[in-house]
Amino acid sequence: MKSIAQQLGVTVSTVSRALQDHPRIGLRTRERVHELAEQWGYVPNSTAINLKRKRTFNIGVVLPFLTEQFFSMAISGIEDVAIGEGYSVLLMQSRNDYERERIAISTFIKHGVDGIIVSLASETHNNDHFSTVNNHGLPIVFFDRVARNLPNSCVYADLTEVTTEAVDYLFRRGIDRIALLNGPGTLQATDERLTGYLTALASRGVPVNQAYLKNLDLSRDNTIRAMNELLELPEPPRAVLAFHDYIALDAMQVCRERGLVINQDIFFVSYSNLSFCAYLEQPPIASIEQFPYEMGRKAAEFVIATISDPAATERQINVIRPALTIRPEWRIDQ
Amino acid sequence: MKSIAQQLGVTVSTVSRALQDHPRIGLRTRERVHELAEQWGYVPNSTAINLKRKRTFNIGVVLPFLTEQFFSMAISGIEDVAIGEGYSVLLMQSRNDYERERIAISTFIKHGVDGIIVSLASETHNNDHFSTVNNHGLPIVFFDRVARNLPNSCVYADLTEVTTEAVDYLFRRGIDRIALLNGPGTLQATDERLTGYLTALASRGVPVNQAYLKNLDLSRDNTIRAMNELLELPEPPRAVLAFHDYIALDAMQVCRERGLVINQDIFFVSYSNLSFCAYLEQPPIASIEQFPYEMGRKAAEFVIATISDPAATERQINVIRPALTIRPEWRIDQ
DNA sequence: CTGTTAGCGCGTTCAT
DNA sequence: ATGAACGCGCTAACAG
């Protein structure tokens, strides 16, 4: 800007205004400035602009694993609305580790993002790092794996009802020994699955078999051990509700190794409805679609709205309606 | 900083120095400053610092799809070294679209990143947007899908030899009608696969059947059509080398729908070696591991090195050695 | 219409 | 050991 000002014999401010197409600027001046800017390949220094605007137009995203398709789809949603609103996306994976999540958050605030979107690490057991952010007045929105007891906006799928629906569907198929490979107790979604499950049983008067209920830490070993325990029960389950598709895959492999035939000796229903399941010869008979892309979009819309109007501090909660997706060949004709 | 300076009755400069543990500063002053900083929850404004340093400590990454595990693993590598060196990662997906890629690049330079890492969109047919970056003196490194005719550093897996090895392996299994579901001609890796394939055939004196060679645009429909064409040949192939695992999955499904039994009537070898293949009942008998995490790391190391020392403009090229990974049950005992 | 001045938050030389 | 002053690149309120 300085050089082009000199070259034209005007001030930097004039150039600045010309570049912004300020109304009260000499038409000729404006044209010449634009010309030279083009010619010199002038690119405005956003750091300087941001310093003035007190904004970075960055939004930070912390989530467990990008290798899980659920999250990579969610981030596509985030990315799409962020770009649309002139923001860029800063990314960090927590890998389900509390410490990494903390570091990610503090990196973001040091780095000066305008807002943060989080999907909790499964190992996160306290929320001090988030409270810090809140005290900083930095907008933060949770999605999918939302934090309890935190007054932030969030978007998630309430799995209670759809879980009841899923269990009910299994009942209608004549299956009543149903195990639940649930997640860690730190997640709200774990409660929802359990509640939905218990509701379904209660409404049919089926007694709860505690041995069928497992809380996993989402590690592979843990899943394998739990599935083995289920199969060694005197009355092993005939169906398994798995925390998500990846858990189902591991669990199904355990079954196969023990000589069970999937979708014959034992059935699976899982959460996420990821695309690769379609390629399995014997996929879960149903999966619960949680619309991650939409969740990402909503979460991004929330942060950006809060950034744009910090006054409106009211908590926004968006509950996505998940859908029980039964594979065509396993649908029950009404 | 201002408020804490006032409260202590000193200048902002003093505070600044105290915070940096400047040697020649009053020990008492330093302590008190740190104290107050802690208490007030002072966070240095990185935008201002960056403005001075003329750096943003952001590096931008453009790649086709995060939903492809290959790329999400690569970005983990990038992320790990970036964080280690104090950088943050800005993300954008091109979705294999040229226009989106262009926008991503220009967003990054507007946004003022310190360096860019790119894996090309399959539809990218010209490199003007990258030339612009080069003229700007902004470091840019390509990984995996590298650009031809561009003088930038890059890291990729040379697939020529390993492809020869793969074809040779099929020959040794007694299979000689081998199709190649290759990628778009814009990618260097497409050439490599072809060259490796042809070399293997030549060394055995096997004639080339042009009908077995297909160039895909990586869309699902296109893959399905190509696979159907192969199967309708008078002499359909007995093995298929697929551009990557996702292509293999689609192609395998076509086979299954036509009543073929995978790993009996027809065999697959593919590239990427993604984890979910392990869950298929009949996975490709071999896959070529390209070590995406390592590629990501190397790419990040390159950009950061160039950022730190812009003088050293010499082009760096790192060729990763891919590995033919044959599933245990299909290994040929030597 | 355009120049002057001030300031965003911080680092840094030059004095003292 | 600390203060004063300047500048990073750009915007904007205040003069003319």
Side-chain angles (χ1 to χ4, degrees):
Chain A
M1 268 181 59
K2 219 185 312 191
S3 11
I4 130 165
Q6 268 180 331
Q7 193 153 350
L8 255 66
V10 289
T11 341
V12 187
S13 356
T14 309
V15 177
S16 168
R17 282 186 280 238
L19 254 12
Q20 305 173 72
D21 290 325
H22 189 102
R24 304 183 310 193
I25 205 76
L27 181 62
R28 249 191 72 64
T29 323
R30 187 190 317 179
E31 277 173 354
R32 299 225 40 206
V33 167
H34 273 114
E35 233 171 72
L36 280 186
E38 186 75 18
Q39 186 179 324
W40 282 56
Y42 166 76
V43 177
N45 179 321
S46 59
T47 311
I49 297 178
N50 293 341
L51 179 57
K52 264 217 94 78
R53 293 222 192 302
K54 302 185 177 212
R55 292 268 211 93
T56 63
F57 291 93
N58 277 152
I59 88 168
V61 179
V62 197
L63 41 71
F65 279 104
L66 234 30
T67 41
E68 292 188 18
Q69 216 182 79
F70 178 88
F71 292 112
S72 57
M73 294 183 73
I75 212 169
S76 296
I78 294 174
E79 193 192 322
D80 282 350
V81 344
I83 291 177
E85 303 282 340
Y87 287 81
S88 290
V89 174
L90 273 167
L91 179 73
M92 286 199 158
Q93 303 180 63
S94 66
R95 305 197 184 157
N96 277 337
D97 179 60
Y98 170 65
E99 203 50 42
R100 281 187 66 105
E101 185 173 270
R102 268 198 40 209
I103 294 173
I105 296 293
S106 78
T107 303
F108 281 154
I109 72 181
K110 260 187 292 195
H111 218 280
V113 298
D114 291 342
I116 300 184
I117 297 178
V118 179
S119 191
L120 284 179
S122 55
E123 291 174 8
T124 294
H125 42 274
N126 89 51
N127 296 328
D128 295 352
H129 46 321
F130 298 124
S131 309
T132 311
V133 178
N134 283 332
N135 295 336
H136 261 277
L138 201 53
I140 166 167
V141 172
F142 292 90
F143 80 95
D144 188 49
R145 303 197 185 166
V146 309
R148 303 171 203 272
N149 314 325
L150 237 38
N152 298 288
S153 294
C154 56
V155 27
Y156 63 95
D158 186 334
L159 302 171
T160 316
E161 285 180 41
V162 77
T163 300
T164 305
E165 200 182 331
V167 174
D168 221 62
Y169 161 74
L170 289 170
F171 281 146
R172 279 187 289 143
R173 291 212 75 89
I175 301 169
D176 57 355
R177 298 207 309 269
I178 305 169
L180 175 60
L181 286 178
N182 211 344
T186 46
L187 302 180
Q188 179 177 311
T190 298
D191 295 355
E192 293 168 5
R193 287 170 172 86
L194 181 60
T195 308
Y197 174 91
L198 294 178
T199 304
L201 264 60
S203 78
R204 298 244 174 183
V206 177
V208 177
N209 182 343
Q210 290 294 338
Y212 285 172
L213 304 178
K214 298 280 187 186
N215 278 298
L216 307 179
D217 64 14
L218 307 187
S219 76
R220 189 152 194 272
D221 291 347
N222 191 237
T223 305
I224 292 173
R225 184 167 348 113
M227 191 65 220
N228 272 310
E229 285 170 11
L230 285 176
L231 294 180
E232 278 156 14
L233 250 31
E235 284 204 327
R238 288 221 52 224
V240 175
L241 212 59
F243 185 77
H244 63 216
D245 287 332
Y246 296 95
I247 299 293
L249 285 177
D250 283 326
M252 287 164 87
Q253 206 162 42
V254 170
C255 294
R256 258 191 256 115
E257 277 166 14
R258 289 177 149 247
L260 294 178
V261 178
I262 307 291
N263 290 348
Q264 185 175 316
D265 300 327
I266 191 164
F267 299 86
F268 281 82
V269 170
S270 64
Y271 297 79
S272 284
N273 194 28
L274 302 182
S275 59
F276 65 76
C277 285
Y279 295 106
L280 296 174
E281 301 203 20
Q282 293 300 338
I285 58 176
S287 192
I288 287 159
E289 172 66 54
Q290 295 172 254
F291 307 104
Y293 179 84
E294 278 309 320
M295 283 179 55
R297 287 195 69 99
K298 272 276 167 275
E301 284 168 12
F302 280 1
V303 249
I304 292 178
T306 314
I307 293 169
S308 312
D309 182 8
T313 321
E314 41 188 310
R315 184 185 196 190
Q316 300 220 56
I317 299 184
N318 189 287
V319 182
I320 298 259
R321 239 187 101 73
L324 178 65
T325 312
I326 303 170
R327 310 216 139 264
E329 59 272 36
W330 292 100
R331 285 190 190 136
I332 300 176
D333 294 329
Q334 307 286 344
Chain B
M1 268 181 59
K2 219 185 313 191
S3 12
I4 130 165
Q6 269 181 330
Q7 192 154 353
L8 256 65
V10 290
T11 339
V12 186
S13 355
T14 309
V15 176
S16 168
R17 281 186 280 240
L19 254 11
Q20 306 173 74
D21 289 326
H22 189 104
R24 302 181 311 193
I25 205 76
L27 181 63
R28 250 191 70 65
T29 322
R30 187 189 318 179
E31 278 174 354
R32 299 225 39 207
V33 168
H34 274 112
E35 232 170 75
L36 281 188
E38 185 75 21
Q39 185 179 322
W40 281 57
Y42 166 75
V43 177
N45 180 321
S46 59
T47 311
I49 297 177
N50 294 339
L51 178 58
K52 266 215 94 76
R53 292 223 191 301
K54 302 183 178 217
R55 291 266 212 92
T56 62
F57 289 94
N58 277 152
I59 88 170
V61 179
V62 197
L63 41 71
F65 278 104
L66 234 31
T67 41
E68 292 187 18
Q69 214 182 79
F70 178 88
F71 292 113
S72 57
M73 294 183 73
I75 212 168
S76 296
I78 294 174
E79 192 191 322
D80 282 351
V81 345
I83 293 177
E85 303 282 339
Y87 287 81
S88 290
V89 175
L90 274 168
L91 178 73
M92 285 199 161
Q93 303 180 61
S94 66
R95 306 198 184 157
N96 276 338
D97 179 60
Y98 170 66
E99 204 49 42
R100 281 185 67 104
E101 185 173 271
R102 268 199 41 211
I103 294 174
I105 296 293
S106 79
T107 304
F108 281 154
I109 72 181
K110 260 186 292 192
H111 218 279
V113 299
D114 291 342
I116 299 184
I117 297 178
V118 178
S119 191
L120 283 179
S122 56
E123 291 174 9
T124 294
H125 43 273
N126 90 51
N127 296 328
D128 295 351
H129 46 320
F130 299 125
S131 310
T132 311
V133 178
N134 283 332
N135 295 337
H136 260 278
L138 200 53
I140 167 166
V141 172
F142 291 91
F143 81 95
D144 189 49
R145 303 199 186 164
V146 309
R148 304 171 204 271
N149 316 325
L150 236 39
N152 298 286
S153 294
C154 57
V155 27
Y156 63 95
D158 186 334
L159 301 171
T160 316
E161 285 180 41
V162 78
T163 300
T164 306
E165 200 183 330
V167 175
D168 221 63
Y169 161 75
L170 289 169
F171 281 146
R172 280 186 289 143
R173 292 212 74 91
I175 301 170
D176 57 357
R177 298 209 308 270
I178 304 170
L180 175 60
L181 286 180
N182 212 344
T186 45
L187 302 181
Q188 179 177 311
T190 298
D191 295 355
E192 293 168 5
R193 287 171 172 84
L194 181 60
T195 308
Y197 174 91
L198 294 177
T199 305
L201 264 60
S203 78
R204 298 244 175 182
V206 177
V208 177
N209 183 341
Q210 291 294 339
Y212 285 173
L213 305 177
K214 298 281 186 184
N215 279 300
L216 309 179
D217 64 13
L218 306 188
S219 76
R220 189 151 194 271
D221 290 347
N222 191 236
T223 305
I224 292 173
R225 182 165 352 112
M227 191 65 220
N228 272 312
E229 286 169 11
L230 285 176
L231 294 180
E232 279 156 13
L233 251 30
E235 283 204 327
R238 287 222 53 225
V240 175
L241 213 58
F243 185 76
H244 63 215
D245 287 332
Y246 295 96
I247 300 293
L249 285 178
D250 283 326
M252 287 164 86
Q253 206 162 42
V254 170
C255 294
R256 257 191 257 118
E257 279 166 12
R258 289 175 149 251
L260 294 177
V261 178
I262 309 292
N263 290 349
Q264 184 177 316
D265 300 326
I266 191 163
F267 299 85
F268 281 82
V269 171
S270 62
Y271 297 78
S272 283
N273 194 28
L274 302 183
S275 59
F276 65 74
C277 285
Y279 295 106
L280 296 174
E281 300 202 20
Q282 295 298 341
I285 60 177
S287 191
I288 287 158
E289 171 66 54
Q290 303 181 57
F291 306 104
Y293 179 84
E294 278 309 321
M295 284 180 53
R297 288 195 67 100
K298 272 276 168 277
E301 284 167 12
F302 281 0
V303 249
I304 293 178
T306 314
I307 294 169
S308 312
D309 184 8
T313 320
E314 42 188 310
R315 184 186 196 191
Q316 300 219 57
I317 299 184
N318 189 288
V319 182
I320 297 257
R321 238 186 100 72
L324 179 65
T325 313
I326 303 170
R327 308 215 141 264
E329 58 274 34
W330 293 100
R331 286 188 191 136
I332 300 175
D333 294 329
Q334 309 285 344

